[in-house]
Amino acid sequence: MKKILFVASEGVPFIKTGGLADVVGSLPKYFDKRYFDARVILPKYMCMKQEMKDMMHYRAHFYMDFLGQDEYVGVLEAQYDGITYYFIDNEKYFNGFKPYGDNVVEEISKFVFFSKAALSILPVIDFRPDVVHCHDWQTGIIPVYLKERFAGGEFYRGMKSVMTIHNLKFQGVYDIKTVKNISGLDSSFFTPDKMAYFKDANLLKGGITYADAITTVSQTYAEEIKTAFYGEKLDGLLRARSKDLRGIVNGIDYSEYNPETDSYILHKYNAGNFRKEKIKNKRDLQRQLGLVENEKKMMIGIVSRLTDQKGMDLVAYIMDEMLSRDDIQLVVLGTGQEQYENMFRHFDWKYHGKVSANIYYSEELSHRIYASCDAFLMPSLFEPCGLSQLMSLRYGTIPIVRETGGLKDTVEPYNEYESKGTGFSFKNYNAHEMLATIRYAEKIYYDKKRDWNKIVDRAMAMDYSWKVSASKYQEMYDWLIG
Ligand code: ADP
Ligand code: GLC
């Protein structure tokens, strides 16, 4: 049996702020259980819902040297959907009303503590992974530790590590003196070929430098991050490590995102009956959100972090022009940068009945939007993979995307002459190119309804379950373990 350990800062259903949680909470279920024993370590955040905490039971505790003090490390355990989860408990580091805060030093201390604790609990829980699979900057120091302080012990010897980049934008950067102090690593680790990043220290860079293999979440993003535009100043290192870097596109949990069984939606449907049934969800959502009740109106959805990454400045730029005609409705669900939250609130007020801005987090409303809308807008500046467009495809809601990262790999542009395609896309990061694409989609929706429904047929027939991608991870583990 090959043993795989995921270490990550979030995972569904325990805690989620974005797509990372979806991946961590679903991918391990899709490994072949005859050959792989995959388990997950997460922090036990104070802000987790009580029902999640109720699923955990005490396993062990000990004290670990951290920042010159003996810090409490509690280990809790839960079983969920056939997967064993461990949680690191420490009230000082994992307090707060959100998993992530704004103070960089506190964030770095929190996740270095978490990373060190995650490795330290392994002998205690008697689980010796062949591969430690790390996700994003929060766990970037693990591959470094595995080659440093943990390398000496018999237990850890030969343990391999994988660093998966879900978002290269966030790297865990702070001045060398502070990171040296927090990590306990000596000066030799803070040179430009290791963790130094200009004048600072960079945890993700440590992970990329020391991991035995590196992955990211789509093939296009794997290529893009080797260029200066997308490389976030690590493109040189990524080019240098390109033979160990692979792009494996994300899947989604097909049991959770399934229009036929989804308990959040009132009218279930499938590829066979969506023409009659999907529209009923639109009517319900219009009523629920106070939009003009007209099932013929094309409804466009956005479920997103409202940030620059997601192309929200393009949307802001053309809102008035887009809504000047009376033929679309826009439903937004998201939180993020204040300027975008207020922008959508403003347009909700200005175009009441046509625009619905929901500035909060809601699992239920997100499912209803995926199920009810006709199209889904995702004009990202960069997108490592993107899961929202996969969810949209699954619900027959046609994505309108910019051709970048995983959006380019998963949405095939509609071609009206060859009757091909599952969505609409544009190339340049330009608001009017986006608007022209939205107008084109509107035209097909209103003037060629049969063609539109065929796009829906093709979208719903796509397979973005984990089947294929999970086997690619398995191949990589096999190759690493030998
Ligand atoms: P990212 O991880 O960059 O935010 P992804 O498309 O990979 O983008 O994943 C986003 C995930 O978060 C999806 O599951 C999406 O439905 C969900 N999501 C984003 N914002 C909200 C929100 N306000 N309420 C509910 N779910 C949300
Ligand atoms: C990141 C990326 C997103 C990706 C997700 C899961 O949050 O922004 O594109 O889908 O991670 O890998």
Side-chain angles (χ1 to χ4, degrees), residues 10 12 16-23 166-167 170 217 250 252 257 302-307 309-310 332-335 358-367 370 376 378 380 382-391 407:
E10 51 183 282
V12 160
K16 167 170 167 176
T17 73
L20 169 62
D22 291 302
V23 173
H166 294 265
N167 195 333
F170 306 108
V217 289
N250 286 333
I252 53 171
Y257 292 94
I302 292 178
V303 178
S304 180
R305 291 186 288 117
L306 304 178
T307 63
Q309 175 193 340
K310 300 294 178 178
V332 180
L333 172 64
T335 59
N358 304 275
I359 310 302
Y360 49 83
Y361 187 90
S362 163
E363 209 62 50
E364 172 170 329
L365 184 56
S366 74
H367 282 241
Y370 292 124
F376 188 86
M378 205 165 165
S380 306
F382 68 94
E383 197 60 76
C385 179
L387 299 175
S388 293
Q389 83 281 11
L390 304 182
M391 294 160 186
L407 297 173

Tab-separated table of all heavy atoms in Angstrom, residues 10 12 16-23 166-167 170 217 250 252 257 302-307 309-310 332-335 358-367 370 376 378 380 382-391 407, ligand 1:
chain	number	residue	atom	x	y	z
A	10	GLU	N	-6.773	24.376	3.812
A	10	GLU	CA	-8.233	24.273	3.809
A	10	GLU	C	-8.693	23.035	3.046
A	10	GLU	O	-7.972	22.538	2.160
A	10	GLU	CB	-8.904	25.532	3.230
A	10	GLU	CG	-8.395	26.001	1.888
A	10	GLU	CD	-9.092	27.304	1.442
A	10	GLU	OE1	-10.241	27.219	0.979
A	10	GLU	OE2	-8.490	28.375	1.555
A	12	VAL	N	-12.672	20.962	2.004
A	12	VAL	CA	-14.114	20.739	2.124
A	12	VAL	C	-14.347	19.390	2.796
A	12	VAL	O	-13.613	18.446	2.507
A	12	VAL	CB	-14.725	20.746	0.699
A	12	VAL	CG1	-16.070	20.070	0.646
A	12	VAL	CG2	-14.805	22.169	0.157
A	16	LYS	N	-13.522	26.205	4.005
A	16	LYS	CA	-13.304	26.563	2.601
A	16	LYS	C	-13.309	28.065	2.398
A	16	LYS	O	-14.195	28.756	2.893
A	16	LYS	CB	-14.412	25.933	1.743
A	16	LYS	CG	-14.496	26.467	0.310
A	16	LYS	CD	-15.430	25.641	-0.559
A	16	LYS	CE	-15.761	26.341	-1.860
A	16	LYS	NZ	-16.595	25.535	-2.760
A	17	THR	N	-12.306	28.565	1.665
A	17	THR	CA	-12.404	29.951	1.179
A	17	THR	C	-12.374	29.981	-0.346
A	17	THR	O	-12.728	30.968	-0.955
A	17	THR	CB	-11.263	30.859	1.695
A	17	THR	OG1	-10.053	30.517	1.019
A	17	THR	CG2	-11.075	30.759	3.191
A	18	GLY	N	-11.931	28.896	-0.973
A	18	GLY	CA	-11.858	28.890	-2.442
A	18	GLY	C	-11.616	27.494	-2.979
A	18	GLY	O	-11.805	26.491	-2.261
A	19	GLY	N	-11.167	27.437	-4.216
A	19	GLY	CA	-11.037	26.171	-4.925
A	19	GLY	C	-10.057	25.181	-4.301
A	19	GLY	O	-10.211	23.963	-4.459
A	20	LEU	N	-9.045	25.697	-3.593
A	20	LEU	CA	-8.101	24.793	-2.926
A	20	LEU	C	-8.851	23.795	-2.036
A	20	LEU	O	-8.542	22.598	-2.024
A	20	LEU	CB	-7.107	25.620	-2.092
A	20	LEU	CG	-6.206	24.860	-1.127
A	20	LEU	CD1	-5.301	23.881	-1.869
A	20	LEU	CD2	-5.364	25.831	-0.296
A	21	ALA	N	-9.842	24.301	-1.311
A	21	ALA	CA	-10.610	23.433	-0.409
A	21	ALA	C	-11.369	22.358	-1.182
A	21	ALA	O	-11.459	21.207	-0.748
A	21	ALA	CB	-11.581	24.261	0.420
A	22	ASP	N	-11.894	22.734	-2.341
A	22	ASP	CA	-12.613	21.750	-3.159
A	22	ASP	C	-11.674	20.630	-3.581
A	22	ASP	O	-12.028	19.454	-3.558
A	22	ASP	CB	-13.201	22.414	-4.415
A	22	ASP	CG	-14.353	23.370	-4.103
A	22	ASP	OD1	-15.337	22.925	-3.501
A	22	ASP	OD2	-14.257	24.557	-4.468
A	23	VAL	N	-10.460	21.008	-3.986
A	23	VAL	CA	-9.498	20.009	-4.468
A	23	VAL	C	-9.068	19.086	-3.322
A	23	VAL	O	-9.102	17.851	-3.441
A	23	VAL	CB	-8.263	20.706	-5.101
A	23	VAL	CG1	-7.174	19.698	-5.443
A	23	VAL	CG2	-8.679	21.485	-6.355
A	166	HIS	N	-1.384	26.102	-6.492
A	166	HIS	CA	-2.761	26.437	-6.874
A	166	HIS	C	-2.852	27.901	-7.276
A	166	HIS	O	-3.785	28.293	-7.975
A	166	HIS	CB	-3.727	26.168	-5.718
A	166	HIS	CG	-3.826	24.716	-5.371
A	166	HIS	ND1	-4.813	23.906	-5.880
A	166	HIS	CD2	-3.049	23.927	-4.596
A	166	HIS	CE1	-4.642	22.671	-5.410
A	166	HIS	NE2	-3.574	22.664	-4.634
A	167	ASN	N	-1.929	28.690	-6.767
A	167	ASN	CA	-1.943	30.110	-7.104
A	167	ASN	C	-0.557	30.676	-6.824
A	167	ASN	O	-0.158	30.808	-5.669
A	167	ASN	CB	-3.006	30.843	-6.276
A	167	ASN	CG	-3.306	32.212	-6.851
A	167	ASN	OD1	-2.449	32.817	-7.497
A	167	ASN	ND2	-4.500	32.693	-6.610
A	170	PHE	N	0.394	34.095	-4.476
A	170	PHE	CA	0.618	34.144	-3.033
A	170	PHE	C	1.804	33.255	-2.686
A	170	PHE	O	1.807	32.068	-2.980
A	170	PHE	CB	-0.638	33.688	-2.283
A	170	PHE	CG	-1.861	34.460	-2.701
A	170	PHE	CD1	-2.858	33.876	-3.466
A	170	PHE	CD2	-1.985	35.795	-2.357
A	170	PHE	CE1	-3.970	34.598	-3.867
A	170	PHE	CE2	-3.097	36.541	-2.759
A	170	PHE	CZ	-4.092	35.941	-3.517
A	217	VAL	N	-2.203	23.295	-11.563
A	217	VAL	CA	-3.524	22.726	-11.743
A	217	VAL	C	-4.125	22.807	-13.155
A	217	VAL	O	-5.319	22.549	-13.333
A	217	VAL	CB	-4.492	23.293	-10.680
A	217	VAL	CG1	-4.152	22.721	-9.307
A	217	VAL	CG2	-4.423	24.819	-10.627
A	250	ASN	N	-7.581	20.223	-12.678
A	250	ASN	CA	-8.466	19.825	-11.583
A	250	ASN	C	-9.743	19.172	-12.095
A	250	ASN	O	-10.200	19.454	-13.199
A	250	ASN	CB	-8.915	21.055	-10.781
A	250	ASN	CG	-7.822	21.621	-9.894
A	250	ASN	OD1	-6.935	20.899	-9.466
A	250	ASN	ND2	-7.892	22.903	-9.617
A	252	ILE	N	-13.864	18.145	-10.455
A	252	ILE	CA	-14.768	18.514	-9.355
A	252	ILE	C	-15.453	17.241	-8.866
A	252	ILE	O	-15.436	16.211	-9.541
A	252	ILE	CB	-15.823	19.567	-9.764
A	252	ILE	CG1	-16.600	19.144	-11.007
A	252	ILE	CG2	-15.164	20.930	-9.977
A	252	ILE	CD1	-17.788	20.027	-11.322
A	257	TYR	N	-21.589	18.002	-7.034
A	257	TYR	CA	-22.089	18.917	-8.059
A	257	TYR	C	-22.793	18.101	-9.133
A	257	TYR	O	-22.199	17.700	-10.126
A	257	TYR	CB	-20.935	19.743	-8.645
A	257	TYR	CG	-20.375	20.710	-7.633
A	257	TYR	CD1	-19.275	20.373	-6.844
A	257	TYR	CD2	-20.980	21.948	-7.423
A	257	TYR	CE1	-18.787	21.252	-5.889
A	257	TYR	CE2	-20.496	22.831	-6.470
A	257	TYR	CZ	-19.395	22.477	-5.714
A	257	TYR	OH	-18.917	23.343	-4.761
A	302	ILE	N	-22.279	35.194	-11.782
A	302	ILE	CA	-20.879	35.287	-11.344
A	302	ILE	C	-20.840	34.749	-9.918
A	302	ILE	O	-21.588	35.225	-9.069
A	302	ILE	CB	-20.370	36.751	-11.336
A	302	ILE	CG1	-20.268	37.314	-12.757
A	302	ILE	CG2	-19.022	36.863	-10.614
A	302	ILE	CD1	-19.818	38.782	-12.822
A	303	VAL	N	-20.018	33.737	-9.667
A	303	VAL	CA	-19.751	33.278	-8.296
A	303	VAL	C	-18.242	33.324	-8.158
A	303	VAL	O	-17.532	32.571	-8.825
A	303	VAL	CB	-20.228	31.828	-8.059
A	303	VAL	CG1	-19.879	31.376	-6.635
A	303	VAL	CG2	-21.720	31.692	-8.309
A	304	SER	N	-17.745	34.233	-7.324
A	304	SER	CA	-16.298	34.442	-7.390
A	304	SER	C	-15.779	35.228	-6.204
A	304	SER	O	-16.508	35.994	-5.585
A	304	SER	CB	-16.005	35.244	-8.667
A	304	SER	OG	-14.640	35.484	-8.819
A	305	ARG	N	-14.488	35.035	-5.920
A	305	ARG	CA	-13.818	36.030	-5.107
A	305	ARG	C	-13.794	37.292	-5.960
A	305	ARG	O	-13.494	37.229	-7.162
A	305	ARG	CB	-12.384	35.576	-4.795
A	305	ARG	CG	-12.321	34.394	-3.852
A	305	ARG	CD	-10.892	34.056	-3.454
A	305	ARG	NE	-10.145	33.443	-4.551
A	305	ARG	CZ	-9.078	33.969	-5.125
A	305	ARG	NH1	-8.603	35.145	-4.737
A	305	ARG	NH2	-8.443	33.341	-6.097
A	306	LEU	N	-14.153	38.429	-5.369
A	306	LEU	CA	-14.223	39.664	-6.161
A	306	LEU	C	-12.865	40.372	-6.091
A	306	LEU	O	-12.643	41.260	-5.272
A	306	LEU	CB	-15.349	40.558	-5.632
A	306	LEU	CG	-16.740	39.896	-5.601
A	306	LEU	CD1	-17.784	40.830	-5.008
A	306	LEU	CD2	-17.175	39.453	-7.008
A	307	THR	N	-11.959	39.909	-6.934
A	307	THR	CA	-10.586	40.437	-6.888
A	307	THR	C	-10.090	40.742	-8.302
A	307	THR	O	-10.722	40.362	-9.288
A	307	THR	CB	-9.617	39.402	-6.278
A	307	THR	OG1	-9.597	38.256	-7.145
A	307	THR	CG2	-10.055	38.946	-4.897
A	309	GLN	N	-7.641	39.352	-9.754
A	309	GLN	CA	-7.361	38.084	-10.461
A	309	GLN	C	-8.541	37.652	-11.319
A	309	GLN	O	-8.378	37.119	-12.408
A	309	GLN	CB	-7.037	36.958	-9.464
A	309	GLN	CG	-6.870	35.596	-10.157
A	309	GLN	CD	-6.851	34.404	-9.205
A	309	GLN	OE1	-6.603	34.541	-8.025
A	309	GLN	NE2	-7.084	33.211	-9.732
A	310	LYS	N	-9.744	37.893	-10.802
A	310	LYS	CA	-10.942	37.360	-11.453
A	310	LYS	C	-11.485	38.278	-12.552
A	310	LYS	O	-12.578	38.048	-13.066
A	310	LYS	CB	-12.015	37.086	-10.398
A	310	LYS	CG	-11.558	36.076	-9.334
A	310	LYS	CD	-11.333	34.691	-9.920
A	310	LYS	CE	-10.839	33.705	-8.881
A	310	LYS	NZ	-10.665	32.345	-9.415
A	332	VAL	N	-24.841	38.117	-9.032
A	332	VAL	CA	-23.469	38.044	-8.518
A	332	VAL	C	-23.478	37.491	-7.096
A	332	VAL	O	-24.296	37.911	-6.268
A	332	VAL	CB	-22.823	39.451	-8.502
A	332	VAL	CG1	-21.390	39.382	-7.974
A	332	VAL	CG2	-22.844	40.064	-9.891
A	333	LEU	N	-22.569	36.578	-6.825
A	333	LEU	CA	-22.342	36.098	-5.452
A	333	LEU	C	-20.846	36.135	-5.209
A	333	LEU	O	-20.077	35.485	-5.928
A	333	LEU	CB	-22.858	34.658	-5.293
A	333	LEU	CG	-22.515	33.977	-3.955
A	333	LEU	CD1	-23.170	34.672	-2.767
A	333	LEU	CD2	-22.915	32.496	-3.990
A	334	GLY	N	-20.426	36.900	-4.204
A	334	GLY	CA	-18.991	36.922	-3.939
A	334	GLY	C	-18.622	37.932	-2.878
A	334	GLY	O	-19.407	38.790	-2.502
A	335	THR	N	-17.391	37.802	-2.409
A	335	THR	CA	-16.809	38.786	-1.491
A	335	THR	C	-15.376	39.018	-1.934
A	335	THR	O	-14.822	38.210	-2.673
A	335	THR	CB	-16.769	38.270	-0.043
A	335	THR	OG1	-15.982	37.071	-0.020
A	335	THR	CG2	-18.148	37.984	0.507
A	358	ASN	N	-25.075	39.848	-4.329
A	358	ASN	CA	-25.131	39.124	-3.056
A	358	ASN	C	-23.713	39.056	-2.512
A	358	ASN	O	-22.926	38.197	-2.913
A	358	ASN	CB	-25.724	37.731	-3.282
A	358	ASN	CG	-27.090	37.833	-3.944
A	358	ASN	OD1	-28.090	38.010	-3.283
A	358	ASN	ND2	-27.102	37.794	-5.270
A	359	ILE	N	-23.423	39.993	-1.619
A	359	ILE	CA	-22.034	40.158	-1.181
A	359	ILE	C	-21.824	39.374	0.110
A	359	ILE	O	-21.780	39.945	1.204
A	359	ILE	CB	-21.685	41.668	-1.035
A	359	ILE	CG1	-22.088	42.429	-2.304
A	359	ILE	CG2	-20.197	41.861	-0.727
A	359	ILE	CD1	-21.445	41.937	-3.597
A	360	TYR	N	-21.771	38.086	-0.015
A	360	TYR	CA	-21.529	37.216	1.127
A	360	TYR	C	-21.137	35.840	0.592
A	360	TYR	O	-21.012	35.644	-0.624
A	360	TYR	CB	-22.752	37.120	2.047
A	360	TYR	CG	-24.056	36.822	1.333
A	360	TYR	CD1	-24.423	35.505	1.005
A	360	TYR	CD2	-24.935	37.851	0.979
A	360	TYR	CE1	-25.621	35.235	0.347
A	360	TYR	CE2	-26.133	37.583	0.319
A	360	TYR	CZ	-26.468	36.269	0.007
A	360	TYR	OH	-27.638	35.998	-0.658
A	361	TYR	N	-20.952	34.900	1.492
A	361	TYR	CA	-20.573	33.552	1.101
A	361	TYR	C	-21.760	32.625	1.340
A	361	TYR	O	-22.338	32.627	2.413
A	361	TYR	CB	-19.367	33.089	1.935
A	361	TYR	CG	-18.830	31.763	1.466
A	361	TYR	CD1	-17.833	31.708	0.499
A	361	TYR	CD2	-19.356	30.573	1.952
A	361	TYR	CE1	-17.369	30.494	0.034
A	361	TYR	CE2	-18.903	29.357	1.490
A	361	TYR	CZ	-17.907	29.322	0.536
A	361	TYR	OH	-17.455	28.122	0.078
A	362	SER	N	-22.172	31.868	0.349
A	362	SER	CA	-23.270	30.932	0.548
A	362	SER	C	-23.154	29.742	-0.398
A	362	SER	O	-23.255	29.887	-1.618
A	362	SER	CB	-24.618	31.625	0.324
A	362	SER	OG	-25.627	30.646	0.142
A	363	GLU	N	-22.944	28.597	0.212
A	363	GLU	CA	-22.875	27.351	-0.557
A	363	GLU	C	-24.182	27.152	-1.330
A	363	GLU	O	-24.199	26.857	-2.514
A	363	GLU	CB	-22.678	26.208	0.450
A	363	GLU	CG	-21.930	25.008	-0.055
A	363	GLU	CD	-20.507	25.329	-0.472
A	363	GLU	OE1	-19.755	25.961	0.285
A	363	GLU	OE2	-20.166	24.927	-1.595
A	364	GLU	N	-25.301	27.363	-0.618
A	364	GLU	CA	-26.610	27.118	-1.210
A	364	GLU	C	-26.872	28.020	-2.414
A	364	GLU	O	-27.237	27.554	-3.499
A	364	GLU	CB	-27.694	27.334	-0.147
A	364	GLU	CG	-29.087	27.279	-0.729
A	364	GLU	CD	-30.174	27.248	0.339
A	364	GLU	OE1	-29.931	26.698	1.432
A	364	GLU	OE2	-31.262	27.775	0.079
A	365	LEU	N	-26.645	29.328	-2.242
A	365	LEU	CA	-26.906	30.237	-3.362
A	365	LEU	C	-25.962	29.938	-4.526
A	365	LEU	O	-26.344	30.037	-5.691
A	365	LEU	CB	-26.794	31.704	-2.913
A	365	LEU	CG	-27.136	32.744	-3.990
A	365	LEU	CD1	-28.543	32.533	-4.557
A	365	LEU	CD2	-27.008	34.169	-3.441
A	366	SER	N	-24.715	29.539	-4.211
A	366	SER	CA	-23.789	29.235	-5.316
A	366	SER	C	-24.349	28.098	-6.174
A	366	SER	O	-24.390	28.201	-7.405
A	366	SER	CB	-22.388	28.910	-4.796
A	366	SER	OG	-22.327	27.630	-4.200
A	367	HIS	N	-24.852	27.055	-5.543
A	367	HIS	CA	-25.418	25.937	-6.321
A	367	HIS	C	-26.621	26.403	-7.136
A	367	HIS	O	-26.820	26.000	-8.274
A	367	HIS	CB	-25.831	24.797	-5.385
A	367	HIS	CG	-24.666	23.967	-4.914
A	367	HIS	ND1	-24.551	22.623	-5.187
A	367	HIS	CD2	-23.567	24.287	-4.199
A	367	HIS	CE1	-23.429	22.158	-4.643
A	367	HIS	NE2	-22.823	23.146	-4.029
A	370	TYR	N	-25.360	28.270	-10.203
A	370	TYR	CA	-24.858	27.344	-11.238
A	370	TYR	C	-26.019	26.669	-11.967
A	370	TYR	O	-25.967	26.425	-13.160
A	370	TYR	CB	-23.948	26.272	-10.628
A	370	TYR	CG	-22.628	26.809	-10.096
A	370	TYR	CD1	-22.241	26.587	-8.776
A	370	TYR	CD2	-21.772	27.542	-10.913
A	370	TYR	CE1	-21.039	27.088	-8.283
A	370	TYR	CE2	-20.573	28.048	-10.423
A	370	TYR	CZ	-20.215	27.817	-9.107
A	370	TYR	OH	-19.032	28.310	-8.628
A	376	PHE	N	-22.335	31.887	-17.558
A	376	PHE	CA	-21.534	32.155	-16.366
A	376	PHE	C	-20.301	32.942	-16.796
A	376	PHE	O	-19.568	32.509	-17.685
A	376	PHE	CB	-21.119	30.828	-15.715
A	376	PHE	CG	-20.449	30.996	-14.390
A	376	PHE	CD1	-21.206	31.086	-13.226
A	376	PHE	CD2	-19.068	31.081	-14.293
A	376	PHE	CE1	-20.589	31.263	-11.990
A	376	PHE	CE2	-18.452	31.261	-13.060
A	376	PHE	CZ	-19.211	31.346	-11.907
A	378	MET	N	-16.618	34.593	-16.384
A	378	MET	CA	-15.357	34.394	-15.646
A	378	MET	C	-14.196	34.935	-16.488
A	378	MET	O	-13.472	34.174	-17.130
A	378	MET	CB	-15.195	32.889	-15.385
A	378	MET	CG	-14.335	32.550	-14.203
A	378	MET	SD	-14.598	30.821	-13.746
A	378	MET	CE	-13.184	30.586	-12.680
A	380	SER	N	-11.126	36.019	-16.095
A	380	SER	CA	-9.937	36.161	-15.248
A	380	SER	C	-8.709	36.736	-15.949
A	380	SER	O	-8.442	36.443	-17.104
A	380	SER	CB	-9.565	34.792	-14.687
A	380	SER	OG	-10.671	34.203	-14.043
A	382	PHE	N	-5.705	35.968	-14.654
A	382	PHE	CA	-5.016	34.672	-14.701
A	382	PHE	C	-5.868	33.676	-13.937
A	382	PHE	O	-6.633	34.054	-13.051
A	382	PHE	CB	-3.592	34.755	-14.135
A	382	PHE	CG	-3.515	35.007	-12.656
A	382	PHE	CD1	-3.415	33.957	-11.752
A	382	PHE	CD2	-3.549	36.293	-12.147
A	382	PHE	CE1	-3.347	34.182	-10.389
A	382	PHE	CE2	-3.482	36.542	-10.778
A	382	PHE	CZ	-3.377	35.479	-9.901
A	383	GLU	N	-5.777	32.407	-14.293
A	383	GLU	CA	-6.599	31.397	-13.636
A	383	GLU	C	-5.868	30.060	-13.662
A	383	GLU	O	-5.870	29.353	-14.667
A	383	GLU	CB	-7.952	31.269	-14.343
A	383	GLU	CG	-9.010	30.569	-13.517
A	383	GLU	CD	-9.296	31.308	-12.207
A	383	GLU	OE1	-9.985	32.340	-12.236
A	383	GLU	OE2	-8.802	30.831	-11.167
A	384	PRO	N	-5.232	29.712	-12.543
A	384	PRO	CA	-4.473	28.448	-12.502
A	384	PRO	C	-5.304	27.270	-13.026
A	384	PRO	O	-4.844	26.513	-13.870
A	384	PRO	CB	-4.142	28.320	-11.022
A	384	PRO	CG	-4.034	29.758	-10.555
A	384	PRO	CD	-5.089	30.496	-11.311
A	385	CYS	N	-6.501	27.092	-12.508
A	385	CYS	CA	-7.422	26.132	-13.127
A	385	CYS	C	-8.800	26.760	-13.226
A	385	CYS	O	-9.313	27.011	-14.297
A	385	CYS	CB	-7.503	24.816	-12.340
A	385	CYS	SG	-8.679	23.703	-13.131
A	386	GLY	N	-9.385	27.047	-12.055
A	386	GLY	CA	-10.774	27.509	-12.035
A	386	GLY	C	-11.671	26.293	-11.907
A	386	GLY	O	-11.536	25.313	-12.647
A	387	LEU	N	-12.540	26.349	-10.915
A	387	LEU	CA	-13.492	25.250	-10.741
A	387	LEU	C	-14.896	25.708	-11.099
A	387	LEU	O	-15.731	24.910	-11.524
A	387	LEU	CB	-13.472	24.774	-9.280
A	387	LEU	CG	-12.116	24.238	-8.808
A	387	LEU	CD1	-12.178	23.902	-7.322
A	387	LEU	CD2	-11.719	23.019	-9.608
A	388	SER	N	-15.140	27.005	-10.961
A	388	SER	CA	-16.495	27.511	-11.206
A	388	SER	C	-16.968	27.213	-12.627
A	388	SER	O	-18.130	26.887	-12.838
A	388	SER	CB	-16.538	29.015	-10.955
A	388	SER	OG	-16.333	29.264	-9.591
A	389	GLN	N	-16.058	27.323	-13.591
A	389	GLN	CA	-16.483	27.035	-14.976
A	389	GLN	C	-16.779	25.535	-15.146
A	389	GLN	O	-17.637	25.165	-15.959
A	389	GLN	CB	-15.433	27.526	-15.994
A	389	GLN	CG	-14.262	26.619	-16.258
A	389	GLN	CD	-13.193	26.691	-15.163
A	389	GLN	OE1	-13.393	27.255	-14.100
A	389	GLN	NE2	-12.043	26.099	-15.425
A	390	LEU	N	-16.115	24.692	-14.350
A	390	LEU	CA	-16.386	23.247	-14.443
A	390	LEU	C	-17.757	22.941	-13.839
A	390	LEU	O	-18.517	22.114	-14.353
A	390	LEU	CB	-15.299	22.442	-13.719
A	390	LEU	CG	-13.849	22.684	-14.172
A	390	LEU	CD1	-12.892	21.777	-13.392
A	390	LEU	CD2	-13.700	22.438	-15.666
A	391	MET	N	-18.037	23.633	-12.744
A	391	MET	CA	-19.360	23.465	-12.124
A	391	MET	C	-20.436	23.948	-13.092
A	391	MET	O	-21.472	23.294	-13.269
A	391	MET	CB	-19.410	24.257	-10.805
A	391	MET	CG	-18.461	23.679	-9.765
A	391	MET	SD	-18.034	24.836	-8.436
A	391	MET	CE	-16.794	23.845	-7.569
A	407	LEU	N	-8.955	27.928	-17.766
A	407	LEU	CA	-10.153	28.305	-18.532
A	407	LEU	C	-9.946	27.927	-19.999
A	407	LEU	O	-10.856	27.428	-20.667
A	407	LEU	CB	-10.421	29.809	-18.397
A	407	LEU	CG	-10.733	30.312	-16.981
A	407	LEU	CD1	-10.812	31.832	-16.955
A	407	LEU	CD2	-12.047	29.716	-16.481
B	1	ADP	P1	-10.485	30.343	-6.576
B	1	ADP	O1	-10.025	29.170	-5.825
B	1	ADP	O2	-9.399	31.093	-7.269
B	1	ADP	O3	-11.324	31.274	-5.755
B	1	ADP	P2	-12.042	28.427	-8.163
B	1	ADP	O4	-12.916	28.646	-9.357
B	1	ADP	O5	-11.005	27.399	-8.261
B	1	ADP	O6	-11.432	29.854	-7.780
B	1	ADP	O7	-12.919	28.005	-6.920
B	1	ADP	C1	-13.820	28.850	-6.293
B	1	ADP	C2	-14.721	28.027	-5.399
B	1	ADP	O8	-15.272	28.867	-4.388
B	1	ADP	C3	-15.907	27.445	-6.140
B	1	ADP	O9	-16.302	26.246	-5.476
B	1	ADP	C4	-16.966	28.536	-5.970
B	1	ADP	O10	-18.275	28.032	-6.124
B	1	ADP	C5	-16.696	28.949	-4.555
B	1	ADP	N1	-17.079	30.331	-4.181
B	1	ADP	C6	-16.455	31.495	-4.477
B	1	ADP	N2	-17.081	32.540	-3.918
B	1	ADP	C7	-18.147	32.032	-3.264
B	1	ADP	C8	-19.204	32.603	-2.466
B	1	ADP	N3	-19.293	33.929	-2.247
B	1	ADP	N4	-20.129	31.756	-1.940
B	1	ADP	C9	-20.051	30.419	-2.162
B	1	ADP	N5	-19.087	29.839	-2.881
B	1	ADP	C10	-18.152	30.621	-3.419
